[in-house]
């Protein structure tokens, strides 16, 4: 009987080498243990199974071992098996299947901890504030949020998505704040996902965003504190198994201008930094285009001394200005891309090459004008101010778009491109909520709040677009 | 469909572009333009800013003089292109200088070009040389390269306007606005080249002169220019030097608030020039106490008399040359439109009864109370 089962399972797993079949004999009873050696911890197998089984008394062995063990082992560790598919899933999830002659088979969890420990955030660093970050471990991630919001109002809905990967995805929300419609739409969208495998939260992000905008309409965060703050505002946080990034829905355009640091700093300084960020956004998108427009069409727009200066620098540069601008942008992107991909040790070589070849040699050789290097560098630095990679890439996309329009029609082209940009932004939606809120639809109070940070005591209202109950923060 | 829409929008903006595509290094940026008229031809002298990069990255600034002539000004400017490699660009014109012959007979034709041409920047300053040609003003030594100090002239014009009150810094746009109004003869600052003792030449901005009937009139003297600027509230603070007790003293006048009122009563024109001005002692040069009420009264009387003197001199000038610098006819045109034609050809300065009312007050006596010297 047991041999038969063994043969069958072996056949189904195509003799996979990491599936271990171990036959033991205890008090004349044949027992078969099946587990995946790469996913299980041998200590757990010893502790939960072998130790318990060998010390069983004969009286019990003859009767129901499952019933006995479920009394002395925590319930979630020992589970019964529904059908064949369940059995295979359990083996691949790190359970050990125990099959006893003439008795009901059951599974005991003997998972190996395959993830790294909690580390500091890598992409969203901050000087002050907590220093823990999500890891690849799903349970740990939920725990990190639970640790911060210790109330039964924190709701979690779990789904399993991915036909092959069977990835667990959790929707976290605050029961007493969330707008039910928002939760319903997101849940429905997740239910309809029909995909092979979810290997990272960005898979879900891409499916939920479902638009062709370069701007990120869903923010990813690796910080449990950011996730908790968003939950308390009435947003939804989606955590995915094996992904150290949580998704926050809905995301507004103004959220991209807020850094983690903002929550833990003096409000006056935060306001100042935020204004700098908005300025940086404008510089990053418009500056190269403005330079192209002014130096090729609208010479009247700048003071004469500056104009003469520009003209002198252009002297002897062989390419038309727009080619120079696009070329330098391309060079910057090459540098950035290679710097990200390179391991840190060879990264220095790139910086040296970039600095010497572009900063000095290209100008000295007369291929580009120094002012163009300054303009492109300034706009690139401004765009790197944003920690969100999606935002940096969106800025790059629109920067090139603006340069091309400035090259076609000068300042009028820039205005035209601005109309397109504003139109594009206001047509976007994040989780069915308008992306440009609180600018459009207009809300004076929150427009002020996203630019000027008030004292935390005075920021006591939630955005009405996110919640229809519990509008006041402290009053829960 | 959406793509077609976007494509259409892009097509629409192409004809919208007002200016032509022009790379900066192909432009000859003209900073000063001189216009002369000689033998039925216009002569153009353009000072072009030229900055060359040397091999070690430094920049050397030069001004190059471009010269050409033609039957009209526009043609003359185009003719510059025959001789020089770069396109003439007037969008950053800082100074326009009209030469002697233009000042005598061709002002209207010149202004027609300057207003009509969209290439000319309207915020440049306009100056007239009544005594020499514009070419001589821009290029006194007749060199290929020179350094006519455009920026310096601009800033000295600005300073003189604010601090001496003898000239008026006027942009081309402001000048044209006055020029196009009825019943006002606009003034232009005068520039000329003075010869120093050591044969070097020296650019001097002198006073103002009105433009009347296609011709620049006789130049105002210093007193008349100050009077003009006081009535038009043009300066910040200036120094006047009246006599007091047989000593020349210095008084700073500041914050002028003046207004001209003209009324027609029984076909008689009554003009009131009301001036309120503040004063402070600058140099007293004698042992008097300016805080003493009697002395103050006396000083105020002296200032009043001095200013009245200046304004009377200006009125006399207007009587003599029949030019309406203060724009009395303009006031009548605005307030008594129907009667305007009766007064159009009269000299209002001889016809009307002009009263000058000056209120002044010495507010500050300087850093010392009593005169010690």
């Amino acid at each position: 009987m047991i041999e038969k089962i063994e043969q069958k399972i072996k056949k189904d797993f195509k003799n996979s080498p990491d599936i271990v079949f171990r036959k033991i004999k205890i008090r004349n009873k044949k027992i078969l243990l099946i587990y995946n050696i790469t996913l299980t911890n041998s200590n757990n197998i010893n502790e939960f199974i072998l130790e318990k089984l060998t010390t069983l008394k004969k009286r019990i062995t003859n009767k129901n071992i499952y019933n006995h063990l479920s009394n002395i082992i925590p319930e979630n560790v020992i589970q019964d098996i529904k059908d064949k598919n369940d059995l295979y899933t359990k083996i691949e999830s790190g359970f050990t299947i125990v099959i006893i002659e003439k008795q009901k088979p059951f599974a005991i969890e003997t998972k190996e901890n395959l993830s790294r420990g909690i580390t500091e955030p890598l992409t969203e660093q901050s000087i002050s504030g907590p220093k823990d970050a999500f890891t690849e471990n799903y349970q740990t991630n939920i725990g990190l949020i639970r640790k911060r919001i210790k109330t039964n109002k924190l709701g979690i809905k779990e789904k399993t998505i991915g036909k092959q990967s069977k990835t667990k995805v959790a929707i976290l929300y605050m029961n007493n704040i969330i707008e039910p419609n928002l939760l319903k739409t997101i849940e429905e969208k997740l239910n309809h996902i029909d995909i092979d495998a979810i290997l990272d939260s960005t898979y879900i992000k891409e499916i939920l965003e479902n638009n062709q905008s370069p701007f990120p309409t869903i923010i990813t965060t690796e910080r449990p504190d950011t996730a908790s703050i968003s939950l308390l505002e009435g947003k939804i946080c989606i955590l995915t198994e094996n992904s150290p990034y949580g998704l926050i829905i809905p995301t507004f355009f103004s959220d991209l201008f807020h850094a983690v640091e903002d929550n833990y700093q003096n409000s006056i300084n935060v306001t100042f930094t935020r204004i700098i960020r908005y300025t940086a956004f404008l510089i990053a998108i418009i500056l190269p285009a403005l330079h192209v427009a002014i130096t090729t069409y609208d010479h009247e727009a700048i003071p004469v001394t500056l104009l003469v200066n520009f003209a002198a620098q252009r002297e002897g540069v062989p390419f038309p200005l727009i080619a120079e601008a696009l070329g330098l942008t391309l060079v910057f992107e090459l540098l950035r891309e290679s710097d990200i991909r390179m391991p840190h040790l060879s990264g220095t070589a790139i910086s040296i090459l970039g600095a010497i070849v572009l900063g000095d040699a290209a100008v000295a050789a007369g291929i580009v004008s120094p002012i163009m290097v300054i303009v492109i560098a300034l706009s690139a630095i401004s765009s790197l101010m944003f920690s969100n990679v999606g935002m940096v890439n969106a800025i790059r996309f629109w920067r090139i778009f603006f340069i091309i329009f400035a090259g076609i029609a000068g300042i009028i082209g820039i205005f035209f491109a601005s109309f397109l940009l504003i139109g594009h932004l206001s047509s976007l939606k994040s989780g069915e909520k308008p992306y440009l809120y609180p600018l459009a639809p207009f809300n004076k109070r929150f427009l002020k709040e996203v630019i000027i940070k008030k004292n935390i005591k005075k920021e006591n209202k939630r955005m009405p677009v996110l919640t229809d109950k519990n509008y006041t923060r402290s009053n829960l | 469909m959406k793509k077609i829409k976007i494509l259409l929008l892009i097509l629409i903006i192409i004809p919208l572009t007002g200016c032509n595509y022009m790379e900066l290094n192909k432009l000859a940026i003209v900073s000063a333009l001189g216009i002369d008229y000689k033998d039925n031809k216009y002569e153009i002298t353009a000072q072009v800013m030229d900055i060359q990069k040397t091999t070690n990255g430094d920049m050397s600034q030069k001004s190059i003089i471009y010269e050409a002539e033609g039957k009209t000004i526009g043609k003359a400017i185009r003719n510059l292109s025959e001789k020089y490699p770069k396109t003439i660009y007037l969008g950053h014109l800082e100074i326009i200088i009209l030469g002697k012959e233009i000042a005598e007979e061709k002002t209207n034709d010149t202004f027609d070009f300057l207003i009509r041409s969209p290439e000319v920047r309207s915020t440049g300053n306009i100056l007239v040389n009544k005594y020499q040609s514009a070419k001589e003003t821009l290029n006194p030594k007749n060199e290929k390269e020179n350094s006519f100090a455009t920026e310096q002239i601009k800033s000295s014009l600005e300073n003189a306007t604010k601090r001496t009150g003898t000239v008026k810094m006027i942009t081309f746009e402001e000048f044209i606005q006055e020029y196009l109004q009825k019943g006002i003869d606009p003034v232009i600052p005068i520039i000329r080249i003075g010869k120093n003792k050591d044969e070097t030449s020296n650019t001097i901005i002198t006073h103002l002169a009105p433009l009347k009937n296609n011709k620049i009139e006789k130049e105002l003297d210093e007193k008349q220019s100050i009077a003009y600027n006081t009535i038009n509230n043009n300066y910040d603070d200036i120094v006047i030097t009246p006599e007091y007790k047989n000593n020349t003293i210095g008084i700073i006048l500041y914050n002028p608030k003046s207004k001209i009122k003209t009324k027609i009563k029984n076909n008689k024109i009554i003009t009131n020039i009301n001036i309120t001005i503040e004063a402070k002692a600058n140099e007293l040069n004698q042992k008097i106490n300016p805080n003493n009420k009697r002395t103050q009264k006396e000083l105020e009387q002296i200032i009043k008399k001095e200013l009245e003197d200046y304004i009377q001199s200006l009125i006399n000038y207007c009587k003599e040359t029949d030019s309406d610098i203060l724009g009395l006819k303009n006031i009548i045109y605005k307030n008594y439109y129907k009667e305007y034609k009766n007064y159009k050809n009269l000299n209002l300065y001889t016809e009307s009864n002009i009263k000058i009312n000056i209120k002044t007050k010495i507010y500050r006596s300087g850093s010392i109370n009593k005169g010690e010297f």
Side-chain angles (χ1 to χ4, degrees):
Chain A
M1 167 68 183
I2 283 184
E3 283 76 15
K4 243 187 182 175
I5 296 173
E6 190 186 335
Q7 287 310 317
K8 176 103 173 64
I9 295 175
K10 260 190 185 162
K11 206 180 146 202
D12 280 353
F13 275 107
K14 305 240 158 35
N15 285 324
S16 174
D18 54 351
I19 308 290
V20 175
F21 299 86
R22 199 160 154 211
K23 275 171 272 183
I24 48 177
K25 209 170 187 183
I26 293 169
R27 302 197 197 284
N28 286 329
K29 274 215 177 285
K30 275 188 195 162
I31 298 177
L32 176 63
L33 302 181
I34 311 168
Y35 56 89
N36 188 327
I37 197 164
T38 56
L39 300 174
T40 47
N41 185 335
S42 51
N43 273 347
N44 283 351
I45 296 177
N46 280 337
E47 188 185 334
F48 285 129
I49 304 168
L50 296 178
E51 229 172 67
K52 297 265 157 43
L53 288 178
T54 45
T55 52
L56 287 178
K57 286 173 184 149
K58 200 171 182 183
R59 181 168 52 84
I60 298 165
T61 343
N62 287 333
K63 289 179 189 166
N64 200 335
I65 297 178
Y66 172 70
N67 281 351
H68 174 72
L69 282 181
S70 56
N71 283 336
I72 55 171
I73 295 177
E75 196 185 353
N76 65 324
V77 174
I78 181 160
Q79 291 176 6
D80 51 349
I81 295 161
K82 286 167 204 132
D83 53 21
K84 203 168 80 183
N85 277 337
D86 191 36
L87 183 126
Y88 295 153
T89 316
K90 286 224 156 73
I91 290 175
E92 292 300 356
S93 318
F95 281 81
T96 299
I97 311 293
V98 183
I99 300 173
I100 304 165
E101 218 177 8
K102 288 172 192 162
Q103 277 189 25
K104 187 181 162 195
F106 57 91
I108 291 177
E109 196 203 298
T110 51
K111 255 182 211 167
E112 171 73 297
N113 189 5
L114 283 178
S115 57
R116 62 197 166 98
I118 298 169
T119 52
E120 280 193 26
L122 290 174
T123 53
E124 295 167 70
Q125 282 158 348
S126 72
I127 297 168
S128 42
K131 298 251 188 282
D132 50 351
F134 287 138
T135 69
E136 282 79 6
N137 189 318
Y138 174 71
Q139 300 296 349
T140 313
N141 290 352
I142 293 178
L144 283 173
I145 289 180
R146 276 252 189 247
K147 211 171 84 176
R148 288 181 164 79
I149 307 171
K150 291 173 191 132
T151 161
N152 56 346
K153 305 275 167 44
L154 175 67
I156 300 178
K157 288 197 176 175
E158 195 173 286
K159 312 231 171 280
T160 307
I161 307 176
K163 286 204 178 115
Q164 308 291 330
S165 67
K166 307 267 186 225
T167 313
K168 276 191 245 166
V169 174
I171 309 174
L172 277 74
Y173 57 94
M174 294 300 291
N175 253 330
N176 49 353
I177 304 169
I178 188 98
E179 202 188 63
N181 273 343
L182 178 67
L183 185 63
K184 221 169 103 189
T185 9
I186 299 296
E187 237 190 304
E188 227 153 71
K189 274 187 183 169
L190 286 182
N191 284 341
H192 283 103
I193 293 179
D194 181 22
I195 197 173
D196 210 22
I198 299 279
L199 295 182
D200 187 64
S201 56
T202 41
Y203 282 49
I204 293 177
K205 174 175 183 277
E206 210 169 327
I207 292 164
L208 287 182
E209 270 182 335
N210 191 28
N211 57 35
Q212 300 199 328
S213 171
F215 284 102
T217 49
I218 292 173
I219 276 188
T220 57
T221 181
E222 58 168 348
R223 296 187 62 113
D225 52 335
T226 311
S228 309
I229 288 167
S230 307
L231 283 175
L232 290 171
E233 275 169 0
K235 294 181 180 174
I236 285 174
C237 178
I238 294 182
L239 292 174
T240 315
E241 207 179 350
N242 302 323
S243 169
Y245 288 97
L247 307 178
I248 290 170
I249 307 169
T251 292
F252 300 125
F253 189 51
S254 55
D255 291 339
L256 296 166
F257 294 87
H258 295 183
V260 202
E261 201 76 34
D262 289 7
N263 302 308
Y264 311 117
Q265 294 278 356
N266 178 324
S267 48
I268 295 169
N269 298 342
V270 168
T271 305
F272 185 72
T273 339
R274 272 186 196 169
I275 291 169
I276 288 179
R277 275 191 216 120
Y278 283 102
T279 322
F281 175 71
L282 286 181
I283 289 177
I285 283 195
I286 290 182
L287 189 72
L290 206 60
H291 181 69
V292 168
I294 281 174
T295 44
T296 53
Y297 289 97
D298 307 276
H299 313 293
E300 289 86 354
I302 47 170
V304 66
T305 38
L306 199 60
L307 188 76
V308 171
N309 202 335
F310 284 180
Q313 298 197 2
R314 281 286 298 159
E315 201 66 51
V317 176
F319 308 112
L321 199 97
I322 180 157
E324 204 187 334
L326 289 175
L328 264 182
T329 315
L330 175 73
V331 170
F332 162 71
E333 292 305 333
L334 289 177
L335 275 178
R336 186 166 84 97
E337 195 59 23
S338 52
D339 204 33
I340 293 172
R341 303 290 157 236
M342 267 284 165
H344 285 296
L345 285 175
S346 23
T348 340
I350 290 169
S351 333
I352 293 169
L353 271 178
I356 292 177
V357 172
L358 296 173
D360 224 20
V363 171
I367 299 169
V368 291
S369 58
I371 184 74
M372 189 53 99
V373 176
I374 294 172
V375 165
I376 297 292
L378 189 60
S379 104
I381 286 172
S382 303
S383 73
L384 291 179
M385 218 176 164
F386 298 93
S387 61
N388 191 311
V389 185
M391 182 71 164
V392 179
N393 291 340
I395 288 175
R396 171 182 65 190
F397 176 87
W398 280 92
R399 181 192 300 142
I400 294 168
F401 194 79
F402 268 76
I403 291 176
I404 290 170
F405 270 83
I408 296 172
I411 283 182
I412 292 172
I414 293 181
F415 276 117
F416 186 78
S418 314
F419 284 137
L420 290 184
L421 173 62
I422 293 168
H424 172 70
L425 282 176
S426 44
S427 73
L428 287 180
K429 291 214 153 157
S430 170
E432 303 302 315
K433 302 286 178 203
Y435 192 46
L436 274 190
Y437 186 86
L439 187 67
F442 186 73
N443 187 321
K444 195 177 159 198
R445 183 195 161 107
F446 289 101
L447 186 62
K448 250 193 209 164
E449 225 160 78
V450 295
I451 298 170
I452 299 164
K453 187 176 187 267
K454 286 193 223 160
N455 190 309
I456 197 102
K457 256 162 90 184
K458 285 180 186 160
E459 273 187 349
N460 56 357
K461 293 272 193 291
R462 295 196 176 85
M463 289 189 181
V465 78
L466 289 175
T467 179
D468 38 17
K469 49 196 173 184
N470 279 321
Y471 179 59
T472 307
R473 267 182 202 259
S474 54
N475 182 16
L476 281 177
Chain B
M1 193 57 204
K2 203 179 167 194
K3 274 180 191 161
I4 295 171
K5 270 185 199 164
I6 289 175
L7 206 70
L8 275 177
L9 282 171
I10 293 170
L11 282 177
I12 286 169
I13 63 163
I14 292 171
L16 275 179
T17 54
C19 323
N20 295 325
Y21 178 84
M22 185 63 76
E23 294 273 345
L24 259 186
N25 43 349
K26 289 177 182 147
L27 292 179
I29 303 164
V30 179
S31 61
L33 186 73
I35 306 172
D36 286 311
Y37 189 71
K38 215 179 227 174
D39 307 331
N40 291 330
K41 270 184 179 172
Y42 286 97
E43 285 185 349
I44 293 291
T45 316
Q47 181 184 263
V48 173
M49 279 191 247
D50 190 75
I51 292 190
Q52 293 277 322
K53 239 193 328 188
T54 53
T55 39
N56 55 9
D58 294 340
M59 288 198 268
S60 65
Q61 187 167 7
K62 282 188 298 187
S63 303
I64 303 176
I65 296 290
Y66 284 17
E67 285 167 359
E69 50 182 38
K71 288 240 165 189
T72 65
I73 299 173
K75 180 70 182 156
I77 288 175
R78 296 287 158 125
N79 285 348
L80 286 172
S81 309
E82 291 174 356
K83 300 185 190 169
Y84 304 100
K86 291 182 174 179
T87 317
I88 300 299
Y89 169 70
L90 298 173
H92 271 288
L93 203 53
E94 303 266 0
I95 286 177
I96 304 166
I97 294 177
L98 307 182
K100 189 181 166 202
E101 296 83 3
I102 300 276
E104 276 162 12
E105 49 182 330
K106 280 287 183 185
T107 50
N108 281 0
D109 299 7
T110 312
F111 292 141
D112 183 78
F113 167 75
L114 293 177
I115 302 169
R116 206 174 289 279
S117 166
E119 297 157 23
V120 181
R121 186 192 208 181
S122 53
T123 51
N125 291 99
I126 185 157
L127 293 158
V128 170
N129 191 338
K130 250 180 87 63
Y131 312 101
Q132 289 127 333
S133 70
K135 183 177 165 186
E136 212 178 321
T137 322
L138 277 173
N139 192 7
K141 287 184 198 154
N142 202 10
E143 299 156 315
K144 195 88 191 99
E145 282 173 22
N146 82 335
S147 51
F148 177 73
T150 317
E151 280 302 312
Q152 275 94 319
I153 285 191
K154 270 196 89 161
S155 55
S156 82
L157 194 63
E158 196 179 343
N159 271 330
T161 309
K162 280 183 183 163
R163 298 181 57 85
T164 67
T166 51
V167 290
K168 180 184 173 192
M169 183 171 182
I170 186 162
T171 65
F172 182 64
E173 192 175 16
E174 288 161 355
F175 173 77
I176 288 302
Q177 267 176 16
E178 278 194 8
Y179 174 72
L180 293 177
Q181 277 186 30
K182 277 202 168 126
I184 189 162
D185 294 328
V187 291
I188 300 187
I190 301 286
I191 189 173
R192 73 187 160 85
I193 297 291
K195 286 269 186 278
N196 291 349
K197 278 174 194 162
D198 53 346
E199 288 297 298
T200 55
S201 54
N202 179 8
T203 323
I204 309 164
I205 299 166
T206 54
H207 304 133
L208 297 164
L211 169 77
K212 184 176 160 59
N213 295 337
N214 208 1
K215 183 176 182 304
I216 305 284
E217 286 286 344
K218 199 180 89 184
E219 195 180 336
L220 301 177
D221 65 13
E222 187 182 337
K223 288 181 177 183
Q224 292 158 352
S225 300
I226 289 177
Y228 172 81
N229 281 326
T230 310
I231 292 170
N232 285 293
N233 309 325
N234 280 337
Y235 52 76
D236 288 353
D237 57 347
I238 61 161
V239 175
I240 56 166
T241 53
E243 294 278 323
Y244 177 60
K245 287 183 180 165
N246 300 326
N247 250 331
T248 308
I249 59 168
I251 299 286
I252 295 177
L253 295 181
Y254 64 103
N255 205 357
K257 286 188 187 111
S258 318
K259 201 156 190 179
I260 305 177
K261 281 180 183 160
T262 302
K263 278 183 189 164
I264 300 179
K265 234 179 202 173
N266 306 329
N267 288 333
K268 283 274 282 181
I269 302 171
I270 301 159
T271 304
N272 278 310
I273 300 176
N274 301 323
I275 297 173
T276 314
I277 196 157
E278 289 162 33
K280 50 189 171 188
N282 185 225
E283 292 165 68
L284 290 175
N285 300 334
Q286 51 194 304
K287 225 169 183 168
I288 47 170
N289 183 1
N291 287 338
N292 186 330
K293 280 212 169 139
R294 229 183 73 203
T295 323
Q296 258 187 16
K297 274 253 162 69
E298 276 173 26
L299 282 173
E300 280 163 12
Q301 281 306 320
I302 283 170
I303 296 166
K304 261 188 202 175
K305 222 182 121 221
E306 186 82 4
L307 263 182
E308 255 176 40
D309 200 34
Y310 285 8
I311 292 168
Q312 204 55 53
S313 156
L314 181 69
I315 291 169
N316 289 340
Y317 172 93
C318 292
K319 283 179 183 168
E320 202 182 301
T321 58
D322 190 18
S323 50
D324 194 350
I325 298 179
L326 297 177
L328 294 188
K329 281 178 198 163
N330 184 257
I331 298 171
I332 288 180
Y333 179 74
K334 281 177 183 162
N335 297 334
Y336 303 93
Y337 177 69
K338 280 178 187 161
E339 284 99 328
Y340 174 67
K341 57 179 183 296
N342 303 333
Y343 299 97
K344 210 166 121 189
N345 297 318
L346 293 176
N347 184 341
L348 293 188
Y349 294 85
T350 47
E351 297 292 315
S352 83
N353 181 8
I354 301 181
K355 279 184 196 159
I356 305 163
N357 312 312
I358 301 173
K359 275 184 201 158
T360 182
K361 174 99 186 119
I362 294 193
Y363 281 103
R364 276 176 249 170
S365 54
S367 305
I368 45 174
N369 277 343
K370 286 174 188 168
E372 302 289 339
F373 309 103

